[in-house]
PDB file of all heavy atoms in Angstrom:
ATOM      1  N   ALA A   1       0.845  -1.194   0.000  1.00 48.00           N
ATOM      2  CA  ALA A   1       0.000   0.000   0.000  1.00 48.00           C
ATOM      3  C   ALA A   1       0.879   1.242   0.000  1.00 48.00           C
ATOM      4  O   ALA A   1       1.878   1.311   0.723  1.00 48.00           O
ATOM      5  CB  ALA A   1      -0.906   0.004   1.223  1.00 48.00           C
ATOM      6  N   PRO A   2       0.540   2.249  -0.794  1.00 51.00           N
ATOM      7  CA  PRO A   2       1.354   3.459  -0.838  1.00 51.00           C
ATOM      8  C   PRO A   2       1.213   4.251   0.454  1.00 51.00           C
ATOM      9  O   PRO A   2       0.171   4.267   1.088  1.00 51.00           O
ATOM     10  CB  PRO A   2       0.810   4.230  -2.028  1.00 51.00           C
ATOM     11  CG  PRO A   2      -0.578   3.721  -2.202  1.00 51.00           C
ATOM     12  CD  PRO A   2      -0.555   2.298  -1.734  1.00 51.00           C
ATOM     13  N   ALA A   3       2.294   4.893   0.821  1.00 51.00           N
ATOM     14  CA  ALA A   3       2.292   5.697   2.039  1.00 51.00           C
ATOM     15  C   ALA A   3       1.491   6.961   1.792  1.00 51.00           C
ATOM     16  O   ALA A   3       1.513   7.520   0.698  1.00 51.00           O
ATOM     17  CB  ALA A   3       3.730   6.048   2.433  1.00 51.00           C
ATOM     18  N   PRO A   4       0.759   7.442   2.796  1.00 49.00           N
ATOM     19  CA  PRO A   4      -0.002   8.674   2.599  1.00 49.00           C
ATOM     20  C   PRO A   4       0.948   9.854   2.427  1.00 49.00           C
ATOM     21  O   PRO A   4       2.030   9.881   2.997  1.00 49.00           O
ATOM     22  CB  PRO A   4      -0.817   8.801   3.883  1.00 49.00           C
ATOM     23  CG  PRO A   4      -0.130   7.956   4.896  1.00 49.00           C
ATOM     24  CD  PRO A   4       0.575   6.873   4.128  1.00 49.00           C
ATOM     25  N   PRO A   5       0.539  10.831   1.617  1.00 51.00           N
ATOM     26  CA  PRO A   5       1.422  11.980   1.395  1.00 51.00           C
ATOM     27  C   PRO A   5       1.599  12.773   2.678  1.00 51.00           C
ATOM     28  O   PRO A   5       0.689  12.894   3.486  1.00 51.00           O
ATOM     29  CB  PRO A   5       0.713  12.799   0.317  1.00 51.00           C
ATOM     30  CG  PRO A   5      -0.691  12.323   0.327  1.00 51.00           C
ATOM     31  CD  PRO A   5      -0.685  10.938   0.859  1.00 51.00           C
ATOM     32  N   SER A   6       2.793  13.327   2.834  1.00 48.00           N
ATOM     33  CA  SER A   6       3.076  14.091   4.053  1.00 48.00           C
ATOM     34  C   SER A   6       2.424  15.457   3.961  1.00 48.00           C
ATOM     35  O   SER A   6       2.234  15.999   2.874  1.00 48.00           O
ATOM     36  CB  SER A   6       4.587  14.229   4.240  1.00 48.00           C
ATOM     37  OG  SER A   6       5.126  14.961   3.166  1.00 48.00           O
ATOM     38  N   PRO A   7       2.070  16.044   5.082  1.00 46.00           N
ATOM     39  CA  PRO A   7       1.392  17.333   5.057  1.00 46.00           C
ATOM     40  C   PRO A   7       2.304  18.454   4.587  1.00 46.00           C
ATOM     41  O   PRO A   7       1.834  19.516   4.225  1.00 46.00           O
ATOM     42  CB  PRO A   7       0.939  17.548   6.499  1.00 46.00           C
ATOM     43  CG  PRO A   7       1.707  16.584   7.337  1.00 46.00           C
ATOM     44  CD  PRO A   7       2.134  15.471   6.436  1.00 46.00           C
ATOM     45  N   GLY A   8       3.561  18.240   4.522  1.00 46.00           N
ATOM     46  CA  GLY A   8       4.477  19.307   4.146  1.00 46.00           C
ATOM     47  C   GLY A   8       4.598  19.524   2.657  1.00 46.00           C
ATOM     48  O   GLY A   8       5.331  20.388   2.215  1.00 46.00           O
ATOM     49  N   GLY A   9       3.958  18.723   1.787  1.00 47.00           N
ATOM     50  CA  GLY A   9       4.043  19.013   0.364  1.00 47.00           C
ATOM     51  C   GLY A   9       4.289  17.799  -0.487  1.00 47.00           C
ATOM     52  O   GLY A   9       4.589  17.905  -1.643  1.00 47.00           O
ATOM     53  N   GLY A  10       4.204  16.601   0.058  1.00 47.00           N
ATOM     54  CA  GLY A  10       4.253  15.415  -0.769  1.00 47.00           C
ATOM     55  C   GLY A  10       5.655  14.897  -0.978  1.00 47.00           C
ATOM     56  O   GLY A  10       6.531  15.010  -0.125  1.00 47.00           O
ATOM     57  N   ASP A  11       5.920  14.371  -2.149  1.00 47.00           N
ATOM     58  CA  ASP A  11       7.172  13.683  -2.445  1.00 47.00           C
ATOM     59  C   ASP A  11       8.338  14.637  -2.636  1.00 47.00           C
ATOM     60  O   ASP A  11       9.488  14.245  -2.492  1.00 47.00           O
ATOM     61  CB  ASP A  11       7.003  12.840  -3.714  1.00 47.00           C
ATOM     62  CG  ASP A  11       6.005  11.717  -3.495  1.00 47.00           C
ATOM     63  OD1 ASP A  11       5.849  11.298  -2.326  1.00 47.00           O
ATOM     64  OD2 ASP A  11       5.398  11.268  -4.473  1.00 47.00           O
ATOM     65  N   ALA A  12       8.093  15.838  -2.981  1.00 47.00           N
ATOM     66  CA  ALA A  12       9.183  16.774  -3.256  1.00 47.00           C
ATOM     67  C   ALA A  12       9.948  17.136  -1.991  1.00 47.00           C
ATOM     68  O   ALA A  12      11.108  17.500  -2.053  1.00 47.00           O
ATOM     69  CB  ALA A  12       8.639  18.040  -3.908  1.00 47.00           C
ATOM     70  N   GLN A  13       9.339  17.031  -0.809  1.00 50.00           N
ATOM     71  CA  GLN A  13       9.985  17.406   0.442  1.00 50.00           C
ATOM     72  C   GLN A  13      10.826  16.284   1.031  1.00 50.00           C
ATOM     73  O   GLN A  13      11.600  16.506   1.933  1.00 50.00           O
ATOM     74  CB  GLN A  13       8.911  17.805   1.464  1.00 50.00           C
ATOM     75  CG  GLN A  13       8.112  19.017   1.075  1.00 50.00           C
ATOM     76  CD  GLN A  13       8.961  20.277   1.126  1.00 50.00           C
ATOM     77  OE1 GLN A  13       9.866  20.394   1.948  1.00 50.00           O
ATOM     78  NE2 GLN A  13       8.692  21.213   0.227  1.00 50.00           N
ATOM     79  N   ARG A  14      10.673  15.038   0.525  1.00 51.00           N
ATOM     80  CA  ARG A  14      11.401  13.919   1.091  1.00 51.00           C
ATOM     81  C   ARG A  14      12.869  13.984   0.684  1.00 51.00           C
ATOM     82  O   ARG A  14      13.179  14.314  -0.458  1.00 51.00           O
ATOM     83  CB  ARG A  14      10.798  12.606   0.594  1.00 51.00           C
ATOM     84  CG  ARG A  14       9.439  12.367   1.203  1.00 51.00           C
ATOM     85  CD  ARG A  14       8.988  10.970   0.902  1.00 51.00           C
ATOM     86  NE  ARG A  14       7.623  10.815   1.407  1.00 51.00           N
ATOM     87  CZ  ARG A  14       6.774   9.962   0.937  1.00 51.00           C
ATOM     88  NH1 ARG A  14       7.113   9.182  -0.048  1.00 51.00           N
ATOM     89  NH2 ARG A  14       5.589   9.865   1.444  1.00 51.00           N
ATOM     90  N   PRO A  15      13.745  13.582   1.580  1.00 50.00           N
ATOM     91  CA  PRO A  15      15.168  13.547   1.207  1.00 50.00           C
ATOM     92  C   PRO A  15      15.429  12.389   0.271  1.00 50.00           C
ATOM     93  O   PRO A  15      14.782  11.357   0.350  1.00 50.00           O
ATOM     94  CB  PRO A  15      15.892  13.360   2.533  1.00 50.00           C
ATOM     95  CG  PRO A  15      14.881  12.780   3.460  1.00 50.00           C
ATOM     96  CD  PRO A  15      13.546  13.288   2.993  1.00 50.00           C
ATOM     97  N   SER A  16      16.373  12.572  -0.606  1.00 48.00           N
ATOM     98  CA  SER A  16      16.735  11.543  -1.571  1.00 48.00           C
ATOM     99  C   SER A  16      17.496  10.435  -0.883  1.00 48.00           C
ATOM    100  O   SER A  16      18.201  10.664   0.086  1.00 48.00           O
ATOM    101  CB  SER A  16      17.598  12.170  -2.672  1.00 48.00           C
ATOM    102  OG  SER A  16      17.996  11.156  -3.558  1.00 48.00           O
ATOM    103  N   ARG A  17      17.372   9.239  -1.400  1.00 52.00           N
ATOM    104  CA  ARG A  17      18.058   8.106  -0.793  1.00 52.00           C
ATOM    105  C   ARG A  17      19.369   7.813  -1.519  1.00 52.00           C
ATOM    106  O   ARG A  17      19.838   6.693  -1.491  1.00 52.00           O
ATOM    107  CB  ARG A  17      17.151   6.890  -0.842  1.00 52.00           C
ATOM    108  CG  ARG A  17      15.930   7.099   0.030  1.00 52.00           C
ATOM    109  CD  ARG A  17      15.158   5.834   0.175  1.00 52.00           C
ATOM    110  NE  ARG A  17      13.949   6.120   0.941  1.00 52.00           N
ATOM    111  CZ  ARG A  17      13.180   5.222   1.448  1.00 52.00           C
ATOM    112  NH1 ARG A  17      13.480   3.970   1.283  1.00 52.00           N
ATOM    113  NH2 ARG A  17      12.127   5.537   2.112  1.00 52.00           N
ATOM    114  N   GLY A  18      19.827   8.712  -2.209  1.00 49.00           N
ATOM    115  CA  GLY A  18      21.125   8.524  -2.838  1.00 49.00           C
ATOM    116  C   GLY A  18      21.009   7.940  -4.216  1.00 49.00           C
ATOM    117  O   GLY A  18      21.296   6.786  -4.417  1.00 49.00           O
ATOM    118  N   GLY A  19      20.580   8.686  -5.134  1.00 47.00           N
ATOM    119  CA  GLY A  19      20.521   8.238  -6.519  1.00 47.00           C
ATOM    120  C   GLY A  19      21.594   8.941  -7.307  1.00 47.00           C
ATOM    121  O   GLY A  19      22.568   9.450  -6.753  1.00 47.00           O
ATOM    122  N   PRO A  20      21.408   9.005  -8.607  1.00 50.00           N
ATOM    123  CA  PRO A  20      22.397   9.658  -9.428  1.00 50.00           C
ATOM    124  C   PRO A  20      22.490  11.153  -9.150  1.00 50.00           C
ATOM    125  O   PRO A  20      23.472  11.788  -9.451  1.00 50.00           O
ATOM    126  CB  PRO A  20      21.947   9.409 -10.854  1.00 50.00           C
ATOM    127  CG  PRO A  20      20.757   8.528 -10.795  1.00 50.00           C
ATOM    128  CD  PRO A  20      20.399   8.338  -9.381  1.00 50.00           C
ATOM    129  N   GLY A  21      21.472  11.725  -8.571  1.00 46.00           N
ATOM    130  CA  GLY A  21      21.496  13.158  -8.317  1.00 46.00           C
ATOM    131  C   GLY A  21      22.220  13.520  -7.050  1.00 46.00           C
ATOM    132  O   GLY A  21      22.370  14.687  -6.740  1.00 46.00           O
ATOM    133  N   GLY A  22      22.646  12.569  -6.285  1.00 47.00           N
ATOM    134  CA  GLY A  22      23.368  12.876  -5.062  1.00 47.00           C
ATOM    135  C   GLY A  22      22.484  12.759  -3.850  1.00 47.00           C
ATOM    136  O   GLY A  22      21.260  12.781  -3.948  1.00 47.00           O
ATOM    137  N   PRO A  23      23.070  12.686  -2.630  1.00 50.00           N
ATOM    138  CA  PRO A  23      22.284  12.489  -1.440  1.00 50.00           C
ATOM    139  C   PRO A  23      21.476  13.714  -1.026  1.00 50.00           C
ATOM    140  O   PRO A  23      20.397  13.585  -0.482  1.00 50.00           O
ATOM    141  CB  PRO A  23      23.295  12.142  -0.368  1.00 50.00           C
ATOM    142  CG  PRO A  23      24.624  12.487  -0.903  1.00 50.00           C
ATOM    143  CD  PRO A  23      24.497  12.592  -2.380  1.00 50.00           C
ATOM    144  N   GLY A  24      21.872  14.871  -1.301  1.00 50.00           N
ATOM    145  CA  GLY A  24      21.174  16.060  -0.815  1.00 50.00           C
ATOM    146  C   GLY A  24      20.292  16.700  -1.845  1.00 50.00           C
ATOM    147  O   GLY A  24      19.339  17.380  -1.509  1.00 50.00           O
ATOM    148  N   GLY A  25      20.509  16.513  -3.093  1.00 53.00           N
ATOM    149  CA  GLY A  25      19.765  17.221  -4.134  1.00 53.00           C
ATOM    150  C   GLY A  25      18.586  16.432  -4.629  1.00 53.00           C
ATOM    151  O   GLY A  25      18.459  15.246  -4.423  1.00 53.00           O
ATOM    152  N   GLY A  26      17.678  17.080  -5.306  1.00 64.00           N
ATOM    153  CA  GLY A  26      16.525  16.435  -5.919  1.00 64.00           C
ATOM    154  C   GLY A  26      16.818  16.164  -7.367  1.00 64.00           C
ATOM    155  O   GLY A  26      16.217  16.785  -8.238  1.00 64.00           O
ATOM    156  N   GLY A  27      17.697  15.291  -7.647  1.00 73.00           N
ATOM    157  CA  GLY A  27      18.134  15.018  -9.016  1.00 73.00           C
ATOM    158  C   GLY A  27      17.145  14.193  -9.805  1.00 73.00           C
ATOM    159  O   GLY A  27      15.992  14.014  -9.418  1.00 73.00           O
ATOM    160  N   PRO A  28      17.615  13.695 -10.958  1.00 77.00           N
ATOM    161  CA  PRO A  28      16.743  12.924 -11.846  1.00 77.00           C
ATOM    162  C   PRO A  28      16.227  11.656 -11.193  1.00 77.00           C
ATOM    163  O   PRO A  28      15.153  11.174 -11.537  1.00 77.00           O
ATOM    164  CB  PRO A  28      17.601  12.591 -13.040  1.00 77.00           C
ATOM    165  CG  PRO A  28      18.949  13.146 -12.786  1.00 77.00           C
ATOM    166  CD  PRO A  28      18.941  13.867 -11.502  1.00 77.00           C
ATOM    167  N   GLY A  29      16.890  11.101 -10.221  1.00 88.00           N
ATOM    168  CA  GLY A  29      16.422   9.891  -9.542  1.00 88.00           C
ATOM    169  C   GLY A  29      15.150  10.159  -8.750  1.00 88.00           C
ATOM    170  O   GLY A  29      14.234   9.336  -8.712  1.00 88.00           O
ATOM    171  N   ALA A  30      15.061  11.321  -8.123  1.00 91.00           N
ATOM    172  CA  ALA A  30      13.884  11.669  -7.344  1.00 91.00           C
ATOM    173  C   ALA A  30      12.677  11.887  -8.246  1.00 91.00           C
ATOM    174  O   ALA A  30      11.553  11.524  -7.910  1.00 91.00           O
ATOM    175  CB  ALA A  30      14.159  12.909  -6.514  1.00 91.00           C
ATOM    176  N   VAL A  31      12.904  12.467  -9.420  1.00 92.00           N
ATOM    177  CA  VAL A  31      11.806  12.702 -10.366  1.00 92.00           C
ATOM    178  C   VAL A  31      11.273  11.364 -10.880  1.00 92.00           C
ATOM    179  O   VAL A  31      10.060  11.146 -10.970  1.00 92.00           O
ATOM    180  CB  VAL A  31      12.296  13.596 -11.528  1.00 92.00           C
ATOM    181  CG1 VAL A  31      11.232  13.711 -12.586  1.00 92.00           C
ATOM    182  CG2 VAL A  31      12.698  14.958 -10.999  1.00 92.00           C
ATOM    183  N   GLU A  32      12.211  10.463 -11.209  1.00 93.00           N
ATOM    184  CA  GLU A  32      11.768   9.144 -11.683  1.00 93.00           C
ATOM    185  C   GLU A  32      11.025   8.386 -10.598  1.00 93.00           C
ATOM    186  O   GLU A  32      10.031   7.709 -10.854  1.00 93.00           O
ATOM    187  CB  GLU A  32      12.987   8.337 -12.137  1.00 93.00           C
ATOM    188  CG  GLU A  32      13.612   8.842 -13.414  1.00 93.00           C
ATOM    189  CD  GLU A  32      14.885   8.085 -13.748  1.00 93.00           C
ATOM    190  OE1 GLU A  32      15.183   7.085 -13.063  1.00 93.00           O
ATOM    191  OE2 GLU A  32      15.553   8.498 -14.692  1.00 93.00           O
ATOM    192  N   LEU A  33      11.506   8.511  -9.363  1.00 94.00           N
ATOM    193  CA  LEU A  33      10.849   7.839  -8.242  1.00 94.00           C
ATOM    194  C   LEU A  33       9.440   8.396  -8.032  1.00 94.00           C
ATOM    195  O   LEU A  33       8.481   7.644  -7.822  1.00 94.00           O
ATOM    196  CB  LEU A  33      11.681   8.020  -6.974  1.00 94.00           C
ATOM    197  CG  LEU A  33      11.185   7.282  -5.734  1.00 94.00           C
ATOM    198  CD1 LEU A  33      11.173   5.782  -5.967  1.00 94.00           C
ATOM    199  CD2 LEU A  33      12.043   7.627  -4.530  1.00 94.00           C
ATOM    200  N   ALA A  34       9.273   9.693  -8.115  1.00 94.00           N
ATOM    201  CA  ALA A  34       7.954  10.314  -7.960  1.00 94.00           C
ATOM    202  C   ALA A  34       7.018   9.880  -9.072  1.00 94.00           C
ATOM    203  O   ALA A  34       5.837   9.574  -8.840  1.00 94.00           O
ATOM    204  CB  ALA A  34       8.092  11.827  -7.934  1.00 94.00           C
ATOM    205  N   ALA A  35       7.513   9.799 -10.304  1.00 95.00           N
ATOM    206  CA  ALA A  35       6.685   9.356 -11.428  1.00 95.00           C
ATOM    207  C   ALA A  35       6.285   7.892 -11.260  1.00 95.00           C
ATOM    208  O   ALA A  35       5.130   7.514 -11.508  1.00 95.00           O
ATOM    209  CB  ALA A  35       7.440   9.580 -12.737  1.00 95.00           C
ATOM    210  N   ALA A  36       7.219   7.076 -10.815  1.00 96.00           N
ATOM    211  CA  ALA A  36       6.919   5.662 -10.588  1.00 96.00           C
ATOM    212  C   ALA A  36       5.885   5.502  -9.481  1.00 96.00           C
ATOM    213  O   ALA A  36       4.967   4.676  -9.577  1.00 96.00           O
ATOM    214  CB  ALA A  36       8.199   4.910 -10.239  1.00 96.00           C
ATOM    215  N   ARG A  37       6.043   6.336  -8.435  1.00 96.00           N
ATOM    216  CA  ARG A  37       5.083   6.273  -7.337  1.00 96.00           C
ATOM    217  C   ARG A  37       3.681   6.684  -7.815  1.00 96.00           C
ATOM    218  O   ARG A  37       2.687   6.072  -7.451  1.00 96.00           O
ATOM    219  CB  ARG A  37       5.554   7.181  -6.193  1.00 96.00           C
ATOM    220  CG  ARG A  37       4.693   7.014  -4.952  1.00 96.00           C
ATOM    221  CD  ARG A  37       5.305   7.661  -3.748  1.00 96.00           C
ATOM    222  NE  ARG A  37       6.382   6.801  -3.254  1.00 96.00           N
ATOM    223  CZ  ARG A  37       7.546   7.244  -2.821  1.00 96.00           C
ATOM    224  NH1 ARG A  37       7.816   8.523  -2.822  1.00 96.00           N
ATOM    225  NH2 ARG A  37       8.463   6.421  -2.362  1.00 96.00           N
ATOM    226  N   ARG A  38       3.578   7.710  -8.650  1.00 96.00           N
ATOM    227  CA  ARG A  38       2.272   8.130  -9.196  1.00 96.00           C
ATOM    228  C   ARG A  38       1.664   7.021 -10.049  1.00 96.00           C
ATOM    229  O   ARG A  38       0.465   6.760  -9.978  1.00 96.00           O
ATOM    230  CB  ARG A  38       2.430   9.408 -10.014  1.00 96.00           C
ATOM    231  CG  ARG A  38       2.503  10.666  -9.168  1.00 96.00           C
ATOM    232  CD  ARG A  38       2.347  11.910 -10.023  1.00 96.00           C
ATOM    233  NE  ARG A  38       3.392  12.017 -11.047  1.00 96.00           N
ATOM    234  CZ  ARG A  38       4.576  12.611 -10.866  1.00 96.00           C
ATOM    235  NH1 ARG A  38       4.869  13.154  -9.693  1.00 96.00           N
ATOM    236  NH2 ARG A  38       5.462  12.676 -11.846  1.00 96.00           N
ATOM    237  N   ARG A  39       2.499   6.397 -10.861  1.00 97.00           N
ATOM    238  CA  ARG A  39       1.986   5.293 -11.684  1.00 97.00           C
ATOM    239  C   ARG A  39       1.494   4.137 -10.810  1.00 97.00           C
ATOM    240  O   ARG A  39       0.479   3.510 -11.098  1.00 97.00           O
ATOM    241  CB  ARG A  39       3.068   4.803 -12.653  1.00 97.00           C
ATOM    242  CG  ARG A  39       3.347   5.766 -13.786  1.00 97.00           C
ATOM    243  CD  ARG A  39       4.193   5.123 -14.885  1.00 97.00           C
ATOM    244  NE  ARG A  39       5.464   4.588 -14.402  1.00 97.00           N
ATOM    245  CZ  ARG A  39       6.622   5.267 -14.337  1.00 97.00           C
ATOM    246  NH1 ARG A  39       6.654   6.528 -14.739  1.00 97.00           N
ATOM    247  NH2 ARG A  39       7.716   4.693 -13.899  1.00 97.00           N
ATOM    248  N   LEU A  40       2.237   3.862  -9.738  1.00 97.00           N
ATOM    249  CA  LEU A  40       1.837   2.794  -8.808  1.00 97.00           C
ATOM    250  C   LEU A  40       0.506   3.112  -8.139  1.00 97.00           C
ATOM    251  O   LEU A  40      -0.378   2.252  -8.027  1.00 97.00           O
ATOM    252  CB  LEU A  40       2.931   2.591  -7.755  1.00 97.00           C
ATOM    253  CG  LEU A  40       2.680   1.478  -6.732  1.00 97.00           C
ATOM    254  CD1 LEU A  40       2.618   0.132  -7.440  1.00 97.00           C
ATOM    255  CD2 LEU A  40       3.756   1.483  -5.668  1.00 97.00           C
ATOM    256  N   VAL A  41       0.327   4.346  -7.691  1.00 97.00           N
ATOM    257  CA  VAL A  41      -0.933   4.762  -7.052  1.00 97.00           C
ATOM    258  C   VAL A  41      -2.084   4.654  -8.049  1.00 97.00           C
ATOM    259  O   VAL A  41      -3.178   4.176  -7.720  1.00 97.00           O
ATOM    260  CB  VAL A  41      -0.803   6.188  -6.484  1.00 97.00           C
ATOM    261  CG1 VAL A  41      -2.159   6.754  -6.088  1.00 97.00           C
ATOM    262  CG2 VAL A  41       0.150   6.202  -5.298  1.00 97.00           C
ATOM    263  N   ALA A  42      -1.858   5.086  -9.299  1.00 97.00           N
ATOM    264  CA  ALA A  42      -2.904   5.000 -10.328  1.00 97.00           C
ATOM    265  C   ALA A  42      -3.253   3.539 -10.625  1.00 97.00           C
ATOM    266  O   ALA A  42      -4.436   3.177 -10.758  1.00 97.00           O
ATOM    267  CB  ALA A  42      -2.445   5.718 -11.595  1.00 97.00           C
ATOM    268  N   ALA A  43      -2.224   2.688 -10.708  1.00 97.00           N
ATOM    269  CA  ALA A  43      -2.475   1.272 -10.968  1.00 97.00           C
ATOM    270  C   ALA A  43      -3.241   0.632  -9.821  1.00 97.00           C
ATOM    271  O   ALA A  43      -4.146  -0.193 -10.036  1.00 97.00           O
ATOM    272  CB  ALA A  43      -1.145   0.542 -11.206  1.00 97.00           C
ATOM    273  N   GLU A  44      -2.891   1.006  -8.586  1.00 97.00           N
ATOM    274  CA  GLU A  44      -3.601   0.470  -7.423  1.00 97.00           C
ATOM    275  C   GLU A  44      -5.062   0.915  -7.433  1.00 97.00           C
ATOM    276  O   GLU A  44      -5.964   0.136  -7.126  1.00 97.00           O
ATOM    277  CB  GLU A  44      -2.910   0.935  -6.137  1.00 97.00           C
ATOM    278  CG  GLU A  44      -3.533   0.408  -4.862  1.00 97.00           C
ATOM    279  CD  GLU A  44      -3.402  -1.095  -4.709  1.00 97.00           C
ATOM    280  OE1 GLU A  44      -2.522  -1.711  -5.337  1.00 97.00           O
ATOM    281  OE2 GLU A  44      -4.223  -1.663  -3.953  1.00 97.00           O
TER     282      GLU A  44
END
């Protein structure tokens, strides 16, 4: 089950887990993760 969105603004506020964009930045890995999460929620 997908986690409920946080009250602070959703996926954009979460820290990255270390993708190609680096540990502190919101690089391309975070965007792909957010898109995958949206697709997962829609599929569910």
